[in-house]
Every structure is written in C-alpha cells, then in structure tokens.
Amino acid sequence: MAANGQSFYELYRRSSIGMALTDTLDDLISERRIEPQLAMKILANFDRSITEVLADKVKARLTFKGHLDTYRFCDEVWTFLIKDVTFKMENSVTVQADKVKIVSCNSRRPGDPQ
C-alpha cells in the first residue's frame, strides 16, 4: 500500500520487468541480504511507480484488429483473449501476434471511495 493509504493493482508484476524485479528480490531474500518485509515494500512501490509513469508519460496510441476468442468480467476486471491480432501504431508500423491477452481494470479499485 502506498504511503498515502492508496493501493494499486499488482498487474505489472507479471510483466517482464516485474518478473525480473520479483526474481531479484527472491534471490536477495534467499541470500539473507534483505528481509521479506522490505521486498514487499519494494513491490508496493513498483506497483505505484509503474502505474503512475504509464498513466502520465505514455501518450502513444494504436489500433488493433483480431478475433475475440474469450472474454470475462469478474471483480471489476475485464479480460479479453484475442487471436490473430494486428496492431497498427501511430507511425503506421504494424505488428502481428498469434494471440494477445488484454486485462482492463477500473481506475478505482473495488471498495475504494468515489
């Protein structure tokens, strides 16, 4: 939880940078170089920082087309599994992917005040 009492989603912990951080923290704990409580504070800070940076600094846009395979809505979180996806960036560069998982969360966590 952040210092001001606000909590953030932990979605980005499963990104490549989040996994690298988690692996490194696990190694440091195993080597008894840091305490698990410090690792949890570092992860909470990571959750806050990456959420804020992505919201404030990333302005690029893209469009995508594909075939919706599966979707679900649970606990205020949408999950979409899309196959044969084509992404088109602002600079007209296109990227293809066999499948993509998109997770979309409300900007407020469930139970947070309005």
Side-chain angles (χ1 to χ4, degrees):
M1 189 174 288
N4 63 0
Q6 183 179 12
S7 59
F8 295 88
Y9 287 107
E10 299 175 3
L11 291 174
Y12 300 107
R13 291 185 187 187
R14 294 188 59 193
S15 66
S16 56
I17 191 170
M19 294 297 288
L21 175 61
T22 303
D23 290 345
T24 301
L25 292 172
D26 286 344
D27 290 345
L28 291 171
I29 292 168
S30 297
E31 296 168 3
R32 297 186 183 271
R33 295 175 64 191
I34 65 170
E35 295 293 323
Q37 296 83 356
L38 178 58
M40 294 307 296
K41 287 181 182 179
I42 291 169
L43 286 172
N45 191 36
F46 170 77
D47 296 336
R48 178 189 56 79
S49 298
I50 196 157
T51 300
E52 290 174 355
V53 166
L54 289 174
D56 295 340
K57 304 290 184 196
V58 177
K59 304 299 181 200
R61 295 185 180 266
L62 62 83
T63 59
F64 64 91
K65 279 188 179 181
H67 301 285
L68 182 60
D69 184 52
T70 307
Y71 66 93
R72 63 182 153 262
F73 181 69
C74 181
D75 296 331
E76 299 292 319
V77 176
W78 280 102
T79 303
F80 302 94
L81 301 175
I82 306 168
K83 291 186 175 180
D84 303 320
V85 185
T86 302
F87 293 94
K88 186 172 182 181
M89 315 297 178
E90 284 180 327
N91 59 3
S92 298
V93 172
T94 60
V95 176
Q96 304 265 343
D98 293 333
K99 57 184 173 176
V100 173
K101 179 179 181 181
I102 297 174
V103 179
S104 177
C105 302
N106 192 338
S107 61
R108 285 188 209 91
R109 294 194 59 166
D112 283 353
Q114 294 288 333

